[in-house]
Short mmCIF file of all heavy atoms in Angstrom, two decimals:
data_model
loop_
_atom_site.label_atom_id
_atom_site.label_comp_id
_atom_site.label_asym_id
_atom_site.label_seq_id
_atom_site.Cartn_x
_atom_site.Cartn_y
_atom_site.Cartn_z
N ASP A 284 6.40 143.25 50.12
CA ASP A 284 5.22 142.99 49.29
C ASP A 284 5.54 141.77 48.42
O ASP A 284 6.69 141.52 48.02
CB ASP A 284 4.98 144.16 48.30
CG ASP A 284 4.27 145.29 48.99
OD1 ASP A 284 3.18 145.01 49.55
OD2 ASP A 284 4.74 146.43 49.01
N VAL A 285 4.47 141.02 48.15
CA VAL A 285 4.63 139.93 47.16
C VAL A 285 3.90 140.43 45.88
O VAL A 285 2.71 140.72 45.89
CB VAL A 285 4.00 138.61 47.62
CG1 VAL A 285 4.08 137.54 46.49
CG2 VAL A 285 4.73 138.10 48.87
N LEU A 286 4.68 140.63 44.81
CA LEU A 286 4.14 141.11 43.55
C LEU A 286 3.69 139.92 42.73
O LEU A 286 4.40 138.92 42.60
CB LEU A 286 5.24 141.86 42.73
CG LEU A 286 6.02 142.91 43.54
CD1 LEU A 286 7.13 143.48 42.69
CD2 LEU A 286 5.10 144.02 44.03
N ASN A 287 2.46 140.00 42.22
CA ASN A 287 1.93 138.91 41.36
C ASN A 287 2.01 139.32 39.91
O ASN A 287 1.31 140.22 39.47
CB ASN A 287 0.47 138.63 41.71
CG ASN A 287 0.38 137.96 43.07
OD1 ASN A 287 0.83 136.82 43.23
ND2 ASN A 287 -0.21 138.64 44.03
N PHE A 288 2.98 138.75 39.16
CA PHE A 288 3.22 139.15 37.77
C PHE A 288 2.16 138.51 36.88
O PHE A 288 1.74 137.37 37.10
CB PHE A 288 4.57 138.72 37.32
CG PHE A 288 5.71 139.27 38.19
CD1 PHE A 288 6.68 138.43 38.68
CD2 PHE A 288 5.77 140.60 38.51
CE1 PHE A 288 7.69 138.89 39.50
CE2 PHE A 288 6.77 141.11 39.33
CZ PHE A 288 7.76 140.25 39.83
N GLN A 289 1.78 139.29 35.82
CA GLN A 289 0.82 138.70 34.84
C GLN A 289 1.52 137.61 34.05
O GLN A 289 2.64 137.78 33.56
CB GLN A 289 0.38 139.83 33.92
CG GLN A 289 -0.73 139.38 32.97
CD GLN A 289 -1.09 140.46 31.99
OE1 GLN A 289 -0.73 141.61 32.13
NE2 GLN A 289 -1.79 140.05 30.95
N ILE A 290 0.85 136.47 33.96
CA ILE A 290 1.41 135.36 33.16
C ILE A 290 0.77 135.44 31.77
O ILE A 290 -0.45 135.44 31.61
CB ILE A 290 1.07 133.99 33.79
CG1 ILE A 290 1.62 133.95 35.21
CG2 ILE A 290 1.67 132.88 32.94
CD1 ILE A 290 1.24 132.67 35.95
N ARG A 291 1.64 135.59 30.76
CA ARG A 291 1.17 135.62 29.37
C ARG A 291 1.33 134.23 28.78
O ARG A 291 2.32 133.98 28.10
CB ARG A 291 1.98 136.65 28.61
CG ARG A 291 1.80 138.06 29.17
CD ARG A 291 2.96 138.95 28.77
NE ARG A 291 3.06 140.11 29.61
CZ ARG A 291 2.35 141.21 29.51
NH1 ARG A 291 1.51 141.34 28.53
NH2 ARG A 291 2.52 142.15 30.41
N GLY A 292 0.51 133.33 29.24
CA GLY A 292 0.72 131.92 28.86
C GLY A 292 -0.29 131.47 27.82
O GLY A 292 -1.29 132.06 27.59
N ASN A 293 0.09 130.41 27.20
CA ASN A 293 -0.83 129.66 26.34
C ASN A 293 -0.43 128.20 26.43
O ASN A 293 0.37 127.81 27.29
CB ASN A 293 -0.85 130.19 24.90
CG ASN A 293 0.55 130.17 24.27
OD1 ASN A 293 1.37 129.36 24.69
ND2 ASN A 293 0.79 130.97 23.29
N HIS A 294 -0.91 127.39 25.52
CA HIS A 294 -0.63 125.91 25.63
C HIS A 294 0.85 125.64 25.43
O HIS A 294 1.33 124.56 25.70
CB HIS A 294 -1.53 125.14 24.64
CG HIS A 294 -1.37 125.65 23.26
ND1 HIS A 294 -2.13 126.68 22.73
CD2 HIS A 294 -0.51 125.28 22.28
CE1 HIS A 294 -1.75 126.89 21.45
NE2 HIS A 294 -0.77 126.08 21.16
N ASP A 295 1.66 126.61 24.89
CA ASP A 295 3.09 126.41 24.68
C ASP A 295 3.91 126.64 25.94
O ASP A 295 5.09 126.41 25.96
CB ASP A 295 3.59 127.37 23.58
CG ASP A 295 3.00 127.04 22.23
OD1 ASP A 295 2.68 125.86 22.00
OD2 ASP A 295 2.82 127.96 21.43
N GLY A 296 3.24 127.17 27.01
CA GLY A 296 4.00 127.44 28.25
C GLY A 296 3.65 128.80 28.76
O GLY A 296 2.72 129.48 28.25
N SER A 297 4.45 129.28 29.72
CA SER A 297 4.13 130.57 30.38
C SER A 297 5.25 131.57 30.20
O SER A 297 6.42 131.17 30.08
CB SER A 297 3.94 130.30 31.89
OG SER A 297 2.93 129.35 32.05
N LEU A 298 4.87 132.81 30.19
CA LEU A 298 5.89 133.88 30.01
C LEU A 298 5.52 135.04 30.96
O LEU A 298 4.32 135.41 31.06
CB LEU A 298 5.85 134.34 28.55
CG LEU A 298 6.83 135.40 28.09
CD1 LEU A 298 7.06 135.23 26.60
CD2 LEU A 298 6.33 136.83 28.35
N VAL A 299 6.50 135.60 31.63
CA VAL A 299 6.33 136.80 32.43
C VAL A 299 7.30 137.86 31.90
O VAL A 299 8.48 137.55 31.64
CB VAL A 299 6.63 136.53 33.93
CG1 VAL A 299 6.77 137.82 34.72
CG2 VAL A 299 5.54 135.67 34.54
N ALA A 300 6.81 139.07 31.70
CA ALA A 300 7.66 140.17 31.24
C ALA A 300 7.77 141.21 32.35
O ALA A 300 6.74 141.56 32.95
CB ALA A 300 7.04 140.77 29.96
N LEU A 301 8.97 141.68 32.61
CA LEU A 301 9.21 142.66 33.67
C LEU A 301 9.85 143.90 33.09
O LEU A 301 10.84 143.82 32.43
CB LEU A 301 10.08 142.07 34.74
CG LEU A 301 9.56 140.72 35.33
CD1 LEU A 301 10.63 140.16 36.33
CD2 LEU A 301 8.27 140.91 36.04
N GLU A 302 9.26 145.05 33.33
CA GLU A 302 9.84 146.32 32.87
C GLU A 302 10.06 147.23 34.05
O GLU A 302 9.35 147.25 35.05
CB GLU A 302 8.85 147.02 31.90
CG GLU A 302 8.67 146.24 30.61
CD GLU A 302 7.87 146.99 29.54
OE1 GLU A 302 7.64 148.19 29.66
OE2 GLU A 302 7.45 146.34 28.59
N ASN A 303 11.12 148.06 33.89
CA ASN A 303 11.42 149.07 34.89
C ASN A 303 10.26 149.98 35.15
O ASN A 303 9.61 150.42 34.19
CB ASN A 303 12.62 149.95 34.41
CG ASN A 303 13.91 149.21 34.53
OD1 ASN A 303 14.04 148.25 35.23
ND2 ASN A 303 14.93 149.72 33.79
N SER A 304 10.01 150.30 36.40
CA SER A 304 8.94 151.26 36.79
C SER A 304 7.58 150.80 36.45
O SER A 304 6.62 151.58 36.48
CB SER A 304 9.21 152.64 36.24
OG SER A 304 10.53 153.04 36.50
N LYS A 305 7.43 149.53 35.99
CA LYS A 305 6.11 149.03 35.71
C LYS A 305 5.88 147.84 36.65
O LYS A 305 5.44 148.06 37.77
CB LYS A 305 6.05 148.60 34.22
CG LYS A 305 4.68 148.73 33.58
CD LYS A 305 4.79 148.61 32.06
CE LYS A 305 3.50 148.06 31.49
NZ LYS A 305 3.78 147.60 30.10
N GLU A 306 6.21 146.67 36.20
CA GLU A 306 6.07 145.49 37.13
C GLU A 306 7.13 145.64 38.28
O GLU A 306 6.85 145.24 39.42
CB GLU A 306 6.32 144.18 36.43
CG GLU A 306 5.21 143.79 35.49
CD GLU A 306 5.32 144.44 34.13
OE1 GLU A 306 6.31 145.18 33.90
OE2 GLU A 306 4.42 144.28 33.29
N ILE A 307 8.29 146.20 37.97
CA ILE A 307 9.34 146.37 38.94
C ILE A 307 9.31 147.86 39.37
O ILE A 307 9.52 148.75 38.54
CB ILE A 307 10.73 146.01 38.37
CG1 ILE A 307 10.70 144.57 37.80
CG2 ILE A 307 11.83 146.22 39.42
CD1 ILE A 307 10.35 143.51 38.83
N PRO A 308 9.14 148.16 40.66
CA PRO A 308 8.91 149.56 41.08
C PRO A 308 10.18 150.40 41.19
O PRO A 308 10.24 151.36 41.98
CB PRO A 308 8.23 149.41 42.45
CG PRO A 308 8.72 148.10 42.96
CD PRO A 308 9.00 147.23 41.80
N PHE A 309 11.23 150.05 40.46
CA PHE A 309 12.43 150.87 40.43
C PHE A 309 13.18 150.55 39.11
O PHE A 309 12.74 149.65 38.40
CB PHE A 309 13.37 150.54 41.65
CG PHE A 309 13.61 149.09 41.94
CD1 PHE A 309 14.54 148.38 41.14
CD2 PHE A 309 12.96 148.42 42.94
CE1 PHE A 309 14.78 147.03 41.37
CE2 PHE A 309 13.19 147.06 43.19
CZ PHE A 309 14.11 146.38 42.42
N ASP A 310 14.27 151.25 38.83
CA ASP A 310 15.08 150.95 37.65
C ASP A 310 16.06 149.89 38.06
O ASP A 310 16.86 150.04 39.00
CB ASP A 310 15.82 152.19 37.19
CG ASP A 310 14.91 153.08 36.37
OD1 ASP A 310 13.74 152.71 36.11
OD2 ASP A 310 15.35 154.16 35.93
N VAL A 311 16.08 148.76 37.33
CA VAL A 311 16.93 147.64 37.65
C VAL A 311 18.37 147.98 37.20
O VAL A 311 18.60 148.28 36.01
CB VAL A 311 16.46 146.34 36.95
CG1 VAL A 311 17.43 145.21 37.20
CG2 VAL A 311 15.10 146.02 37.43
N LYS A 312 19.32 147.95 38.15
CA LYS A 312 20.72 148.27 37.80
C LYS A 312 21.56 147.01 37.85
O LYS A 312 22.74 147.01 37.42
CB LYS A 312 21.31 149.29 38.75
CG LYS A 312 20.58 150.66 38.68
CD LYS A 312 21.58 151.79 38.85
CE LYS A 312 20.87 153.11 38.77
NZ LYS A 312 20.59 153.73 40.10
N ARG A 313 21.00 145.91 38.41
CA ARG A 313 21.85 144.72 38.58
C ARG A 313 20.91 143.51 38.69
O ARG A 313 19.85 143.60 39.26
CB ARG A 313 22.65 144.86 39.87
CG ARG A 313 23.48 143.64 40.30
CD ARG A 313 24.47 144.03 41.40
NE ARG A 313 23.82 144.68 42.48
CZ ARG A 313 23.66 144.21 43.71
NH1 ARG A 313 24.12 142.99 44.01
NH2 ARG A 313 23.01 144.84 44.66
N VAL A 314 21.39 142.40 38.14
CA VAL A 314 20.68 141.14 38.27
C VAL A 314 21.68 140.12 38.75
O VAL A 314 22.81 140.06 38.27
CB VAL A 314 20.13 140.65 36.87
CG1 VAL A 314 19.49 139.30 36.97
CG2 VAL A 314 19.15 141.68 36.31
N TYR A 315 21.29 139.29 39.71
CA TYR A 315 22.16 138.17 40.05
C TYR A 315 21.27 136.96 40.39
O TYR A 315 20.09 137.08 40.61
CB TYR A 315 23.11 138.47 41.17
CG TYR A 315 22.56 138.83 42.53
CD1 TYR A 315 22.36 137.85 43.51
CD2 TYR A 315 22.25 140.15 42.85
CE1 TYR A 315 21.87 138.15 44.78
CE2 TYR A 315 21.72 140.47 44.11
CZ TYR A 315 21.54 139.47 45.04
OH TYR A 315 21.02 139.81 46.26
N TYR A 316 21.88 135.77 40.31
CA TYR A 316 21.08 134.59 40.56
C TYR A 316 21.91 133.55 41.35
O TYR A 316 23.14 133.57 41.33
CB TYR A 316 20.48 133.98 39.28
CG TYR A 316 21.29 134.02 38.06
CD1 TYR A 316 22.11 132.94 37.70
CD2 TYR A 316 21.27 135.15 37.21
CE1 TYR A 316 22.85 132.96 36.52
CE2 TYR A 316 22.04 135.19 36.07
CZ TYR A 316 22.79 134.08 35.70
OH TYR A 316 23.55 134.13 34.57
N ILE A 317 21.18 132.74 42.05
CA ILE A 317 21.77 131.83 43.04
C ILE A 317 21.16 130.43 42.80
O ILE A 317 19.95 130.32 42.68
CB ILE A 317 21.43 132.29 44.49
CG1 ILE A 317 22.04 133.69 44.76
CG2 ILE A 317 21.87 131.28 45.50
CD1 ILE A 317 21.51 134.35 45.98
N TRP A 318 21.98 129.42 42.75
CA TRP A 318 21.47 128.05 42.60
C TRP A 318 22.45 127.10 43.21
O TRP A 318 23.58 127.50 43.64
CB TRP A 318 21.23 127.73 41.12
CG TRP A 318 22.44 127.44 40.32
CD1 TRP A 318 22.95 126.24 39.96
CD2 TRP A 318 23.32 128.42 39.73
NE1 TRP A 318 24.08 126.41 39.20
CE2 TRP A 318 24.34 127.72 39.06
CE3 TRP A 318 23.38 129.82 39.76
CZ2 TRP A 318 25.35 128.38 38.37
CZ3 TRP A 318 24.43 130.47 39.13
CH2 TRP A 318 25.39 129.77 38.41
N GLY A 319 22.08 125.84 43.32
CA GLY A 319 22.95 124.83 43.84
C GLY A 319 23.26 125.00 45.35
O GLY A 319 24.34 124.60 45.81
#
Side-chain angles (χ1 to χ4, degrees):
D284 280 305
V285 176
L286 310 175
N287 288 295
F288 303 130
Q289 187 186 345
I290 302 173
R291 299 159 200 276
N293 58 24
H294 55 272
D295 294 329
S297 304
L298 183 153
V299 165
L301 304 176
E302 293 187 14
N303 285 340
S304 310
K305 210 168 152 195
E306 289 83 5
I307 305 300
F309 49 77
D310 280 357
V311 176
K312 298 217 178 100
R313 174 167 53 110
V314 176
Y315 63 93
Y316 37 94
I317 297 167
W318 74 101

